Amino acid sequence: MHEKSDNRRYAKVWLYFTYYWIIFGVSTYFGQFLPNEWRQPLSLGLLVLILLTMIVQRARFSGLIMSHIYTIISGLLAYATFMYTLQDLGPSVFIKNVILAVSAFIIFGCIGFFMIKDASSMGRYLFVTFIALIVMSLVGWFIHNPIFHTVIAIIGVFLFLLYTLYDFNRLRRGQFSPREMGFNLFLNLFRIIRYVLKLARMAKR
């Protein structure tokens, strides 16, 4: 019975994971109609909102309302970013980097679920690094230095790969709620893909 209950919870996690990707996909479609002058204010506003939410809650911004706000706004903003990256890298390189990001997500997930007994001690360090990354991203809006932005992207890739390991380890230990975990895994994969594509663009330059 206990195993069946765990399987149901795992299934719910992946249903929520799919649910957030569907919302993101629909929002990305409508992102083509978003006026260009709205993009920067929305991006800055979203970063500030995430930072304030995390500081107040002392946890990741995975609440019901905030998770939907993040997914929708990220989708609206992602259309222009993905189209620009697709044109810059070309379809073949773009797809290869997305596959690389998804593969890394799966590998770190497997490590966290099958190979590590308890990764709970990582949580506090990942949280602090996440806040630091958001602050650096805000500062990055005013510093047009390629090296600085490359450092942000590298930190972002490794941070969300480690968050993937950490979250899959929480799955193994049963310390999760399906909706929150589904959103966290969506966030991890989306951010890994985004930072990998950003590094690919920078490497091309």
Side-chain angles (χ1 to χ4, degrees):
M1 290 293 292
H2 182 68
E3 184 177 348
K4 288 183 179 179
S5 177
D6 285 343
N7 288 337
R8 289 195 196 97
R9 294 182 73 203
Y10 292 151
K12 286 182 180 180
V13 168
W14 296 112
L15 281 173
Y16 277 112
F17 175 79
T18 304
Y19 165 76
Y20 281 108
W21 273 110
I22 290 172
I23 293 177
F24 175 83
V26 172
S27 301
T28 301
Y29 171 79
F30 284 104
Q32 63 185 302
F33 306 112
L34 184 70
N36 288 330
E37 59 270 20
W38 289 16
R39 298 185 187 281
Q40 185 169 344
L42 271 178
S43 298
L44 284 171
L46 184 61
L47 283 173
V48 171
L49 183 60
I50 291 170
L51 181 61
L52 292 175
T53 302
M54 291 179 68
I55 292 174
V56 170
Q57 294 182 347
R58 296 185 179 182
R60 274 187 284 178
F61 56 102
S62 53
L64 180 63
I65 296 175
M66 189 59 200
S67 63
H68 283 83
I69 290 174
Y70 176 85
T71 305
I72 292 169
I73 295 180
S74 293
L76 291 172
L77 296 172
Y79 178 83
T81 303
F82 285 160
M83 290 300 102
Y84 175 77
T85 305
L86 187 61
Q87 292 173 1
D88 192 26
L89 297 178
S92 177
V93 177
F94 181 91
I95 293 171
K96 286 178 182 177
N97 278 279
V98 170
I99 292 173
L100 175 65
V102 173
S103 300
F105 173 82
I106 293 171
I107 290 169
F108 274 75
C110 290
I111 292 172
F113 193 88
F114 296 108
M115 300 177 65
I116 298 178
K117 185 176 180 180
D118 188 350
S120 58
S121 60
M122 294 173 57
R124 70 189 72 176
Y125 303 108
L126 294 175
F127 178 73
V128 172
T129 306
F130 196 1
I131 290 180
L133 180 65
I134 295 172
V135 173
M136 289 175 65
S137 298
L138 287 170
V139 173
W141 280 97
F142 309 100
I143 299 178
H144 303 289
N145 185 312
I147 296 176
F148 183 78
H149 287 278
T150 300
V151 170
I152 290 177
I154 292 172
I155 292 173
V157 169
F158 282 104
L159 173 63
F160 286 102
L161 284 174
L162 291 175
Y163 254 129
T164 298
L165 184 153
Y166 172 76
D167 285 329
F168 271 88
N169 188 255
R170 287 176 58 206
L171 279 173
R172 168 180 176 162
R173 291 181 285 112
Q175 297 182 348
F176 66 93
S177 70
R179 189 204 58 78
E180 174 255 350
M181 181 57 73
F183 172 72
N184 284 345
L185 293 178
F186 155 77
L187 173 65
N188 294 344
L189 180 54
F190 167 61
R191 282 301 194 178
I192 292 167
I193 291 173
R194 183 172 178 181
Y195 284 122
V196 165
L197 290 173
K198 189 173 183 179
L199 285 172
R201 283 199 349 253
M202 290 176 175
K204 185 178 179 181
R205 294 173 187 172

